[in-house]
């Protein structure tokens, strides 16, 4: 085992000094905070990525520098494991430990010992960043970290989070039976658009889809995508300004649409009634669809609507292919899924509920032959198990109709980015289903009606006092609070409410839904009031809307 080059580490960790009095935490989305305090974190994450690769025998690890839908001044970093999945949970602890260590060398020695890492192993890392202004300096700090272990590193430049995940998987599966595609952006776009073109071949031409790129890195990718798509899908790109300071995610993008349930003002005179529009988030891994109805009212088609559309379509194809006894299609949601979507899906497919965060959904989806997972906020994808992919490849259909359905399924495995939720790939997937069903947004929307719902944030003294069970649907702490929430929810028709501590902000989140809009709001604010009072909030500063 070759020793650590402690002199280099000392010198560089001096250059990338850790700020005092700040505690960093590797959470559900990696490290994420103000970009201008992340320098030391990026340096240390570079070293960690090298260690992770050595631990996995030199397989390539991904590093993505992004803060997704957060404000432009924020930034963040997360590691990607060899098949394009999120970093294994046990390593999140190492990440946090290294980021906060006053003595980096001894912390590194602890991690190396604890994880039993052989430093003589090779290490490979591929990294990318979004369009944030703090990105280049943070990447330079990351590169210094990579130098410490002489990592063989590849700079994938400015690109989307899902493309980085794709590259990681493509690099690690190159030349194997599970080869995922060419390890280049060109490979990504060709794979996806070739499958798309086959899937929509012979369907009537579609009217133009308007894409809100959130003034982020999705704009760059969408411009390239449109070239590969040619006339197979007419698209119009909006909010593509990646250079004017302050515009990223500002009053636009998937998070704005989901949280405000409004059309980004910049699209007001651009989206025609009935036309399909969609928003990407700042790193293009979340997708929201929408349209304006005949009265000009904004209608949102969120992750739940996507899950129901896609889940039932794939279920139908499996049946048409004559494979329903061999391939089980299932779906995974979180407690935030609208009750109406859960009902719609459950009547067609098995549905599981798991805790918030992509990694929980992804792992649960792996337990199905075909697992369709989406969070209401627009994160999601579809996973085909390796055995299912083989089965599709080997299956001998007995009728032309079965043959056609089989070909569609195989093309879906190529269209869908199975490494991670991908706004552009999900968007093409939605477009395929709409083309096959000959649906506009209106018809898609009419499959079921969302229950009115409300999400409220409550600032409390200590959000760790809130502990949940049953996929976050029930509180176990503070004691007694759950019973009071249920008692309130029972007073409203279709009432459902749950409370969980946020994993990304220092707040507690309250969700409520009910059959009637005003009741959903009232329930949410009552539960929020209950949370506020129970968690020891100052009654004098109790928000007025908490009834
Ligand atoms: C992160 C998660 C997202 C989740 C959100 C919840 C990933 C890549 N992202 O953004 O899936 O919905 O956190 O945030 O896992 P919250 O804990 O603050 O409600
Ligand atoms: Mg994102």
């Amino acid at each position: 085992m070759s020793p650590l080059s402690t002199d280099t580490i000392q010198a560089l960790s001096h250059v990338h000094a850790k700020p005092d009095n700040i505690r960093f935490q590797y959470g559900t989305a990696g490290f994420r905070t103000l970009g201008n305090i992340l320098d030391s974190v990026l340096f240390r994450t570079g070293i960690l990525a090298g260690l992770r690769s050595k631990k996995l025998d030199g397989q390539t690890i991904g590093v993505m520098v992004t803060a997704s839908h957060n404000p432009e001044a924020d930034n963040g970093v997360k590691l990607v494991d060899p098949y394009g999945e999120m970093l294994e949970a046990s390593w999140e602890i190492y990440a946090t430990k290294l980021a906060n260590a006053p003595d980096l060398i001894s912390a590194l020695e602890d991690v190396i010992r604890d994880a039993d890492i052989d430093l003589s192993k090779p290490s490979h890392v591929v990294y990318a960043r979004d369009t944030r202004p703090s990105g280049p300096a943070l990447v330079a700090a990351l590169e210094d970290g990579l130098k410490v272990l002489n990592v063989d590193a590849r700079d994938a430049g400015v690109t989307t989070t899902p493309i980085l995940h794709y590259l990681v998987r493509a690099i690690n599966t190159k030349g194997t039976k599970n080869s995922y595609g060419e390890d280049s952006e060109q490979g990504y776009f060709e794979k996806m658009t070739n499958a798309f073109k086959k899937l929509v071949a012979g369907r009537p031409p579609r009217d133009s889809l308007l894409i809100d790129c959130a003034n982020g890195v999705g704009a760059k990718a969408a411009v390239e995508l449109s070239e590969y798509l040619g006339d197979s899908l007419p698209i119009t790109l909006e909010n593509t300004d990646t250079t004017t300071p302050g515009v990223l995610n500002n009053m636009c993008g998937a998070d704005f649409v989901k949280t405000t349930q409004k059309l980004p003002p910049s699209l007001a005179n651009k989206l025609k009634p009935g036309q399909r529009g969609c928003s990407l988030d700042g790193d293009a891994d979340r997708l929201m669809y929408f349209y304006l109805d005949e009265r000009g009212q904004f209608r949102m088609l969120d992750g739940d609507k996507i899950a129901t559309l896609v889940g039932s379509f794939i279920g139908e194809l499996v049946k048409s292919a004559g494979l329903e006894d061999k391939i089980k299609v299932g779906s995974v949601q979180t407690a935030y899924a609208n009750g109406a979507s859960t009902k719609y899906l459950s009547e067609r497919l098995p549905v599981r509920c798991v805790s918030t965060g992509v990694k929980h959904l992804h792992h649960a989806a792996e337990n199905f032959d075909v697992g369709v997972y989406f969070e209401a906020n627009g994160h999601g994808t579809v996973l085909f198990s390796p055995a299912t992919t083989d089965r599709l490849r080997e299956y001998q259909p007995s009728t032309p109709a079965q043959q056609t359905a089989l070909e569609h399924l195989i093309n879906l495995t190529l269209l869908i980015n199975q490494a991670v939720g991908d706004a552009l790939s999900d968007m093409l997937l939605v477009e395929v289903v709409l083309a096959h069903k000959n649906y506009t947004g209106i018809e898609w929307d009419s499959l079921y009606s969302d229950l009115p719902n409300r999400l409220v944030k409550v600032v409390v003294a200590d959000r760790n006092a809130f502990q949940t069970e049953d996929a976050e649907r029930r509180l176990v702490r503070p004691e007694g609070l759950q019973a009071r929430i249920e008692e309130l929810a029972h007073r409203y028709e279709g009432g459902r409410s749950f409370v969980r501590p946020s994993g990304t902000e220092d707040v507690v989140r309250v969700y409520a839904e009910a059959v009637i809009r005003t009741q959903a709001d009232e329930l949410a604010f009552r539960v929020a009031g209950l949370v506020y009072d129970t968690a020891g909030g100052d009654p004098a500063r109790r928000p007025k809307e908490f009834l």
Side-chain angles (χ1 to χ4, degrees):
M1 172 160 130
S2 40
L4 277 176
S5 40
T6 46
D7 290 351
T8 320
I9 300 175
Q10 284 297 18
L12 285 171
S13 66
H14 199 68
V15 177
H16 301 289
K18 186 183 116 33
D20 291 334
N21 307 326
I22 295 180
R23 191 174 156 77
F24 300 103
Q25 190 176 351
Y26 195 100
T28 32
F31 293 109
R32 195 176 289 182
T33 183
L34 281 172
N36 62 9
I37 58 171
L38 274 168
D39 182 80
S40 63
V41 171
L42 268 286
F43 168 66
R44 292 167 183 218
T45 300
I47 307 180
L48 184 76
L51 290 176
R52 179 79 184 142
S53 174
K54 285 180 188 289
K55 174 67 193 173
L56 299 176
D57 244 342
Q59 290 189 83
T60 298
I61 295 299
V63 181
M64 184 69 204
V65 180
T66 179
S68 183
H69 59 276
N70 284 38
E72 190 168 296
D74 284 3
N75 215 325
V77 61
K78 60 185 168 191
L79 262 52
V80 178
D81 264 357
Y83 293 97
E85 70 277 44
M86 305 286 164
L87 177 68
E88 186 187 292
S90 62
W91 276 64
E92 293 181 2
I93 297 160
Y94 297 147
T96 302
K97 178 181 165 91
L98 289 188
N100 294 300
D103 176 355
L104 179 58
I105 292 176
S106 86
L108 280 169
E109 284 166 350
D110 286 352
V111 170
I112 291 164
R113 200 179 324 109
D114 195 58
D116 192 18
I117 295 164
D118 178 353
L119 287 179
S120 67
K121 289 278 169 86
S123 51
H124 301 273
V125 167
V126 56
Y127 58 93
R129 65 176 174 91
D130 69 14
T131 53
R132 287 182 155 73
S134 56
L138 292 177
V139 162
L142 174 78
E143 286 166 340
D144 274 353
L146 294 168
K147 271 182 222 148
V148 165
L149 293 175
N150 282 323
V151 173
D152 178 15
R154 168 171 160 187
D155 181 1
V158 176
T159 197
T160 70
T161 295
I163 291 179
L164 192 262
H165 283 251
Y166 167 90
L167 289 175
V168 171
R169 180 140 162 186
I171 293 169
N172 287 309
T173 55
K174 210 171 185 166
T176 71
K177 164 173 159 292
N178 299 322
S179 166
Y180 198 54
E182 286 293 318
D183 60 330
S184 62
E185 284 203 7
Q186 182 181 348
Y188 164 88
F189 286 116
E190 278 177 352
K191 178 181 175 186
M192 203 158 79
T193 52
N194 287 342
F196 178 77
K197 287 175 189 167
K198 288 184 192 152
L199 281 158
V200 297
R203 307 271 152 190
R206 314 284 299 163
D207 57 353
S208 180
L209 169 67
L210 188 146
I211 308 175
D212 158 21
C213 300
N215 294 319
V217 68
K220 180 174 170 275
V223 168
E224 287 177 62
L225 177 70
S226 73
E227 279 158 27
Y228 286 93
L229 282 172
D231 52 15
S232 62
L233 178 68
I235 58 181
T236 313
L237 303 182
E238 295 294 343
N239 296 328
T240 55
D241 180 356
T242 56
T243 50
T244 304
V247 296
L248 172 69
N249 296 323
N250 188 20
M251 307 286 283
C252 61
D255 195 62
F256 172 86
V257 170
K258 179 65 183 167
T259 51
T260 63
Q261 310 200 5
K262 289 201 173 93
L263 183 72
S266 48
L267 305 184
N269 297 314
K270 303 209 165 110
L271 188 71
K272 297 189 289 288
Q275 188 186 4
R276 300 171 330 286
C278 65
S279 287
L280 320 177
D281 73 336
D283 64 340
D285 65 352
R286 275 173 62 182
L287 178 69
M288 283 288 142
Y289 261 76
F290 45 79
Y291 67 95
L292 301 175
D293 68 14
E294 60 286 359
R295 298 193 335 266
Q297 290 284 331
F298 175 75
R299 305 281 312 180
M300 181 175 74
L301 295 151
D302 66 358
D304 296 339
K305 289 274 181 183
I306 297 174
T308 48
L309 182 78
V310 167
S312 33
F313 178 66
I314 294 180
E316 286 161 23
L317 279 182
V318 167
K319 208 179 244 177
S320 308
L323 282 164
E324 76 263 45
D325 295 336
K326 302 201 175 65
I327 296 179
K328 288 278 164 263
V329 184
S331 167
V332 186
Q333 300 187 310
T334 72
Y336 289 112
N338 194 279
S341 77
T342 310
K343 180 166 179 292
Y344 182 91
L345 268 178
S346 311
E347 285 160 2
R348 289 160 180 82
L349 307 170
V351 181
R352 271 202 62 195
C353 179
V354 299
S355 297
T356 306
V358 170
K359 65 180 176 217
H360 301 296
L361 289 109
H362 194 93
H363 287 142
E366 283 173 336
N367 294 322
F368 292 112
D369 297 330
V370 182
V372 180
Y373 76 82
F374 279 90
E375 289 188 301
N377 66 18
H379 261 299
T381 186
V382 181
L383 303 181
F384 293 80
S385 74
T388 304
T389 313
D390 289 346
R391 178 157 269 151
L392 292 175
R393 232 181 260 146
E394 289 152 13
Y395 179 61
Q396 300 287 339
S398 38
T399 64
Q402 287 190 350
Q403 172 74 31
T404 307
L406 176 68
E407 281 167 17
H408 290 333
L409 283 168
I410 292 173
N411 283 318
L412 287 179
T413 66
L414 302 171
L415 171 72
I416 296 167
N417 187 345
Q418 297 180 54
V420 75
D422 178 337
L424 293 177
S425 159
D426 289 341
M427 177 188 89
L428 295 182
L429 173 59
V430 166
E431 291 298 315
V432 164
V433 186
L434 297 181
H436 276 244
K437 299 268 182 196
N438 205 12
Y439 282 170
T440 61
I442 301 163
E443 283 138 346
W444 170 17
D445 198 15
S446 67
L447 296 180
Y448 68 86
S449 302
D450 270 326
L451 285 173
N453 57 88
R454 176 71 54 195
L455 193 58
V456 179
K457 280 188 207 184
V458 187
V459 180
V460 296
D462 177 17
R463 73 181 149 142
N464 295 319
F466 289 75
Q467 287 168 22
T468 61
E469 62 176 9
D470 188 24
E472 302 178 325
R473 287 175 290 193
R474 295 174 47 81
L475 273 179
V476 280
R477 285 218 154 68
E479 247 168 78
L481 188 52
Q482 181 61 33
R484 298 178 66 194
I485 295 170
E486 281 169 27
E487 195 266 314
L488 268 181
H490 281 142
R491 294 193 207 165
Y492 300 93
E493 192 192 344
R496 179 172 76 96
S497 179
F498 67 92
V499 172
R500 57 175 278 278
S502 158
T504 61
E505 273 184 84
D506 198 8
V507 296
V508 167
R509 296 199 199 284
V510 173
Y511 175 90
E513 64 185 26
V515 171
I516 298 169
R517 162 93 275 152
T518 49
Q519 298 207 344
D521 292 347
E522 193 175 304
L523 176 58
F525 289 122
R526 286 201 150 167
V527 174
L530 214 53
V531 166
Y532 190 83
D533 297 343
T534 315
D538 175 358
R541 297 178 56 198
R542 189 174 193 267
K544 276 189 280 309
E545 66 270 30
F546 291 176
L547 300 174

